[in-house]
Amino acid sequence: MAKILMVLTGADSWTLKDGTQHPTGFWAEEVVVPYQALKAAGHQVAVATPGGVVPTADAGSLTAEFSGGGARTMQEAVDAMAELRTPLVLADVAVGDYDAVLYPGGHGPMEDLAVDADSGRLLTAALASGKPLAVVCHGPAALLAARREDGTSAFAGYRVAAFTNAEEIQAGLGDRAKWLLQDRLEADGVVVEVAEPWTSHVVVDRNLITGQNPMSSARLAEELVKRLG
C-alpha cells in the first residue's frame, strides 16, 4: 500500500482582473476520479491545504453534467471523502512521508497555490525525489511557486499538459483573468504541450505526470496507479 499526498487549494474564490471575486474551489472530478482509482488500488490518500483549511468544491463541478452519469452524484462522492473534512496543514507535510504527490485543479490554485511558498518548496522537493508527481488542469498553477535558488522555475524545460488558453477562453473567463495559465508556464520555460480543447491529454516527463483538463483525470490516475505498482 502506498501513501499519496493530495494537495488542494484552500481558496473559494478567484480574483479577476477587474477585482471581481469569482466563486470557485477545487474541481470535483479532478479529486474524485483519482481518489477513487487510488483507493480501489489499495492505496492511502492524505489531503493537505494551505493552513489546513477545509477545501471548497467548485459548485459548477457538482452539477449533473459532471457526474458522469453514474449512480452516485459528484456531490455524494465528495461527501464520502472523509479526508476532505480534516486536511493537514500544507506547511507541516514532508515529501519523505509519502510515495507520491497529486495536485488537482479548479480555479482555486490560480488564487493561492500559484503564490504559496510552502507548496512551491513541496513541489520542488517532490520533483527532485523522483517519486511520482501528478498535476492536472489548473493544478499546474502551483508550479509557478516552485523556484530554484537562483529564482528560475524548478520545472523549466519539463513538458507538461495544463489548462490551455483556448479552453479558458471557451469557458468564458479568458478575457477576465489577470493572467492565463498556459502563458505563465511558458514564460517560466515550461513546455506546454497543447491538445484539442476538452479532450483527454496526459503528458509524462520523467516523474512528472500532467493532465490538460478534467477529462484527463482518469488517464492521469491510471498513469499514477501504474507508477505506484
Side-chain angles (χ1 to χ4, degrees):
M1 179 183 71
K3 189 174 182 181
I4 295 85
L5 177 67
M6 182 183 289
V7 179
L8 295 183
T9 176
D12 60 8
S13 63
W14 175 34
T15 307
L16 302 178
K17 64 183 177 183
D18 64 356
T20 301
Q21 297 296 307
H22 178 72
T24 187
F26 66 83
W27 196 260
E29 182 177 3
E30 298 164 23
V31 171
V32 168
V33 171
Y35 175 85
Q36 292 181 343
L38 290 164
K39 297 292 279 189
H43 301 308
Q44 182 180 352
V45 178
V47 170
T49 64
V53 173
V54 175
T56 299
D58 189 306
S61 69
L62 301 174
T63 62
E65 179 183 358
F66 297 105
S67 292
R72 297 174 64 188
T73 67
M74 198 62 74
Q75 180 69 69
E76 289 171 335
V78 168
D79 290 344
M81 291 179 60
E83 296 88 347
L84 293 176
R85 296 190 288 275
T86 56
L88 303 170
V89 177
L90 181 57
D92 294 340
V93 300
V95 168
D97 295 333
Y98 300 91
D99 300 293
V101 177
L102 170 63
Y103 273 69
H107 279 111
M110 302 276 280
E111 184 75 15
D112 61 352
L113 296 179
V115 294
D116 190 290
D118 294 319
S119 175
R121 284 189 288 270
L122 181 77
L123 283 165
T124 302
L127 190 66
S129 75
K131 298 175 182 180
L133 171 59
V135 193
V136 64
C137 198
H138 286 92
L143 308 188
L144 299 173
R147 319 305 295 187
R148 301 189 183 103
E149 289 186 4
D150 63 2
T152 61
S153 170
F155 291 87
Y158 276 79
R159 297 180 297 107
V160 306
F163 203 69
T164 65
N165 290 354
E167 287 169 322
E168 201 73 83
I169 291 166
Q170 290 178 20
L173 290 170
D175 62 344
R176 300 177 63 196
K178 288 182 178 179
W179 47 270
L180 298 178
L181 179 55
Q182 180 184 337
D183 288 346
R184 285 287 302 277
L185 289 170
E186 291 175 341
D188 262 354
V190 181
V191 182
V192 182
E193 297 190 350
V194 176
E196 287 297 312
W198 318 112
T199 59
S200 177
H201 178 52
V202 170
V203 173
V204 179
D205 188 349
R206 289 158 276 186
N207 60 317
L208 180 62
I209 308 163
T210 51
Q212 181 169 309
N213 47 37
M215 297 77 185
S216 307
S217 299
R219 282 181 58 197
L220 179 110
E222 289 171 9
E223 183 65 31
L224 179 54
V225 170
K226 182 173 72 174
R227 291 291 186 100
L228 292 169

